[in-house]
């Protein structure tokens, strides 16, 4: 009752090698996010190299290590960032990042006559405040819920980035629920 495997009918979901692409490095592919990230990183490295070109000790260290001065600077910055993160915690860093830039942008939006940026930042800070109220009522949320702080960071980042304006989208979902209650 054993049949030859070549004689079995093939399902439509069968893996077929000839239908797969070569991946993102395939010739003729348009520059994607990978190339943009690499180009952005190279610009940062060039800028750091220009600004640190007058520091003799850094030049000597980079020659001994056979690397660019920017790589040393970025390595030291990453090390210091990790030390600070271990000392004050990831939640503190998330709160700093997700408060200071939006606060600055909100203050700048007050100087304009446009209504949209002011609404965006009001909605954002309501969501930001909601996270803090949740954390004050349930402090173990920070330690007991796996990846809560990362989730909070991603949601707040999505809410305040001008490319996504997530706070407006959340308001669009919630506002129909509040229609009768706020009038």
């Amino acid at each position: 009752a054993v049949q030859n495997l070549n004689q079995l009918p093939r399902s439509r979901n069968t893996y077929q090698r000839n239908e797969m692409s070569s991946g993102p490095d395939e010739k003729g592919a348009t520059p994607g996010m990978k190339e943009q990230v690499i180009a952005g990183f190279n610009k940062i490295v060039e800028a750091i190299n220009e600004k640190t070109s007058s520091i003799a000790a850094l030049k000597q260290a980079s020659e001994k290590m056979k690397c660019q001065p920017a790589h040393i600077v970025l390595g030291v910055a990453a090390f210091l960032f990790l030390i600070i993160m271990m000392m004050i915690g990831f939640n503190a860093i998330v709160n700093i990042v997700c408060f200071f830039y939006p606060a600055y942008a909100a203050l700048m939006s007050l100087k304009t006559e446009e209504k949209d940026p002011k609404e965006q930042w009001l909605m954002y800070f309501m969501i930001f405040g909601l996270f803090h109220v949740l954390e004050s009522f349930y402090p173990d949320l920070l330690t007991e819920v796996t990846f809560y702080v990362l989730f909070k960071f991603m949601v707040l980042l999505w809410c305040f980035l001008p490319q996504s304006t997530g706070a407006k989208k959340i308001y669009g979902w919630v506002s129909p629920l509040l229609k009768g209650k706020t009038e």
Side-chain angles (χ1 to χ4, degrees):
V2 177
Q3 296 178 350
N4 186 352
L5 292 178
N6 292 330
Q7 294 174 350
L8 293 175
R10 299 187 105 181
S11 70
R12 294 190 318 178
N13 295 331
T14 303
Y15 166 77
Q16 294 180 1
R17 185 177 200 95
N18 59 358
E19 292 179 9
M20 291 186 62
S21 73
S22 299
D25 295 330
E26 184 176 323
K27 291 183 181 177
T30 58
M33 187 170 196
K34 175 183 170 184
E35 288 81 14
Q36 291 174 355
V37 169
I38 291 171
F41 181 76
N42 287 337
K43 285 181 184 178
I44 292 170
V45 167
E46 288 172 18
I48 293 172
N49 281 335
E50 284 178 25
K51 292 185 180 192
T52 60
S53 62
S54 62
I55 303 172
L58 189 58
K59 271 187 175 181
Q60 290 173 349
S62 67
E63 288 171 3
K64 285 182 183 178
M65 297 173 139
K66 297 180 182 168
C67 67
Q68 296 181 31
H71 295 157
I72 296 171
V73 170
L74 291 172
V76 169
F79 178 74
L80 290 174
F81 176 76
L82 289 173
I83 295 294
I84 291 170
M85 195 163 90
M86 288 189 312
M87 291 171 67
I88 65 173
F90 188 55
N91 190 47
I93 293 171
V94 168
N95 287 335
I96 289 168
V97 169
C98 294
F99 175 77
F100 283 108
Y101 169 76
Y104 173 77
L107 289 172
M108 292 298 111
S109 74
L110 291 175
K111 294 181 180 181
T112 66
E113 297 296 322
E114 296 178 47
K115 184 179 175 184
D116 284 345
K118 295 172 189 167
E119 288 179 351
Q120 157 70 15
W121 293 117
L122 175 64
M123 292 176 243
Y124 170 79
F125 278 106
M126 290 180 71
I127 295 166
F128 184 79
L130 176 67
F131 276 107
H132 284 277
V133 168
L134 286 173
E135 291 166 11
S136 69
F137 280 109
Y138 186 53
D140 292 335
L141 192 65
L142 296 169
T143 55
E144 288 183 7
V145 178
T146 309
F147 299 115
Y148 166 77
V149 176
L150 183 62
F151 171 76
K152 172 183 159 181
F153 177 67
M154 297 307 284
V155 168
L156 290 174
L157 192 68
W158 176 72
C159 284
F160 81 70
L161 284 177
Q163 294 88 348
S164 62
T165 60
K168 283 186 180 180
K169 291 175 183 160
I170 290 175
Y171 178 73
W173 299 329
V174 174
S175 66
L177 303 172
L178 302 174
K179 272 263 194 245
K181 296 175 175 112
T182 58
E183 294 175 353

